[in-house]
Amino acid sequence: MELSATADSASRSRGVFLALYYTGRLDGRTPKFDFENLLIEETNKMSGTEYASEMKRCGAELAAKGLKMTQIGKDMTQRKAKMPTLPTGPAK
């Protein structure tokens, strides 16, 4: 969460995306999960080195998911190009 409060806009964006991604994963598993308290408890336990390591690990995971989504978009574009064109005018 510290990244979402930084002055650096690129780091802030990464922090927001990481927070949304992992919140979605947790909420999908356990909708009534107390995310706020767990986040506070866990970040208070972490040293600066552990925090940096986790940010790197989580950032790499998010980047991999982003690459996968980019590939899916490319695949969909290619599939669409191969589909026959349907008439768009009024039915006769």
Side-chain angles (χ1 to χ4, degrees):
M1 289 304 190
E2 288 180 25
L3 279 180
S4 61
T6 185
D8 175 43
S9 63
S11 293
R12 188 172 49 249
S13 292
R14 283 192 299 275
V16 169
F17 283 121
L18 282 169
L20 289 173
Y21 175 73
Y22 284 104
T23 299
R25 287 188 63 176
L26 290 168
D27 193 47
R29 279 190 213 156
T30 312
K32 296 190 188 271
F33 187 72
D34 188 356
F35 183 67
E36 181 180 356
N37 282 327
L38 178 69
L39 187 61
I40 290 168
E41 287 174 18
E42 292 303 312
T43 54
N44 285 336
K45 292 178 190 176
M46 296 173 131
S47 69
T49 303
E50 289 170 323
Y51 186 82
S53 175
E54 284 300 294
M55 290 304 300
K56 185 176 180 180
R57 182 186 65 78
C58 294
E61 188 174 325
L62 184 63
K65 295 290 184 188
L67 290 174
K68 185 175 183 178
M69 292 302 295
T70 299
Q71 186 59 52
I72 288 170
K74 288 177 182 179
D75 292 347
M76 289 177 70
T77 300
Q78 290 175 352
R79 286 182 181 185
K80 184 179 178 185
K82 293 178 184 177
M83 294 175 69
T85 304
L86 299 174
T88 58
K92 293 182 182 179

